[in-house]
Amino acid sequence: MNDARSDSSPTSWRRWHYGAAGVMLVAMFGLSFWTWQQLPVDVRIAVHFGFDGVPDRWAGRAEGLLILPVIATVTAVVMALVPCIDPRGKNLRADGDWYALIVLVVLAVLACAHVAIIESALTGRARPADFITLPVVVLCAALGRFLGRSRSNFFVGVRTPWTLSSDYAWQRANSLAGSGFLATGIVGSITLAFAGGPWALKVLFGGMVVTAVVATLASYFFWRNDPGAAR
């Protein structure tokens, strides 16, 4: 028999999930601390880049070196608490390993973006696509696998009034989204291999937006055709 206390814990993460997240966060702050000492006080750091890799926003040393580590820390804490505060948290705990994997991949994307900012600050070269394209491909693949098997909850997945009121609509809409994200990851990886990171990022983000819009609109029609609904 499963221990009821373990199921009602703040998260269903295993210890290695916490360890992996902690290592990434410590590494990000450690890299920032080391870079801080290498840069002059009045340095301007590129913190945002266009799809062509050209910086379009600059910040001072504190913001440039700390913004992504802080965002990653807040993300990790919030997502660790979500299964505890979600009214349907038991569903997230049932999907605990895949949910934790999604969080870890998101942290990895942020960590790689942080490395891109650090490299740009130290060398003057802007190559964000070289660092974040592959992690975004992995994120699409992980979302594709997770969404197709996810259970209804208020924080992760295609969450619309129709999916939250119908398990049938939830399953169909999230399966559709999962297939879209998986296809996006495959096409993005092919684009990366033959056309390079900047083009791959355009394909990845474009595919993610299209997938989200289509799945959201489709959720209404799945709800309307729910065979178990009484209207």
Side-chain angles (χ1 to χ4, degrees):
M1 181 179 297
N2 293 330
D3 186 353
R5 291 182 59 189
S6 64
D7 184 62
S8 62
S9 61
T11 78
S12 58
W13 288 27
R14 307 298 185 258
R15 289 183 179 180
W16 77 268
H17 296 141
Y18 284 114
V23 167
M24 279 192 280
L25 295 176
V26 169
M28 291 177 73
F29 278 105
L31 182 59
S32 293
F33 176 76
W34 178 83
T35 306
W36 185 288
Q37 302 175 70
Q38 314 302 314
L39 299 175
V41 175
D42 59 348
V43 68
R44 302 300 292 171
I45 299 175
V47 295
H48 192 272
F49 307 84
F51 282 112
D52 55 2
V54 177
D56 53 22
R57 183 172 179 272
W58 302 78
R61 186 170 61 171
E63 180 184 353
L65 297 181
L66 294 177
I67 184 170
L68 284 181
V70 170
I71 290 175
T73 300
V74 173
T75 299
V77 171
V78 170
M79 297 307 289
L81 293 176
V82 159
C84 186
I85 63 177
D86 190 329
R88 300 177 184 175
K90 64 179 181 180
N91 289 341
L92 281 176
R93 290 191 289 273
D95 295 329
D97 286 335
W98 279 101
Y99 173 74
L101 176 62
I102 296 298
V103 178
L104 291 178
V105 176
V106 169
L107 294 181
V109 172
L110 293 174
C112 290
H114 186 53
V115 172
I117 289 176
I118 295 293
E119 193 223 19
S120 176
L122 292 174
T123 67
R125 294 179 297 175
R127 301 185 302 153
D130 292 345
F131 291 93
I132 68 172
T133 303
L134 187 57
V136 174
V137 168
V138 175
L139 176 61
C140 286
L143 284 171
R145 184 65 181 88
F146 169 76
L147 292 176
R149 57 179 292 169
S150 66
R151 297 168 174 84
S152 177
N153 68 88
F154 287 89
F155 284 90
V156 183
V158 181
R159 305 171 313 284
T160 68
W162 310 293
T163 58
L164 293 175
S165 61
S166 164
D167 286 339
Y168 173 81
W170 175 280
Q171 192 277 324
R172 294 295 302 273
N174 280 277
S175 292
L176 176 63
S179 298
F181 279 115
L182 187 58
T184 296
I186 293 173
V187 175
S189 63
I190 295 173
T191 306
L192 175 62
F194 290 98
W199 277 103
L201 280 180
K202 294 177 183 178
V203 169
L204 288 167
F205 285 111
M208 293 169 76
V209 170
V210 171
T211 295
V213 171
V214 170
T216 297
L217 295 176
S219 68
Y220 170 77
F221 297 98
F222 291 139
W223 172 77
R224 290 289 301 175
N225 292 281
D226 184 349
R231 305 202 210 315

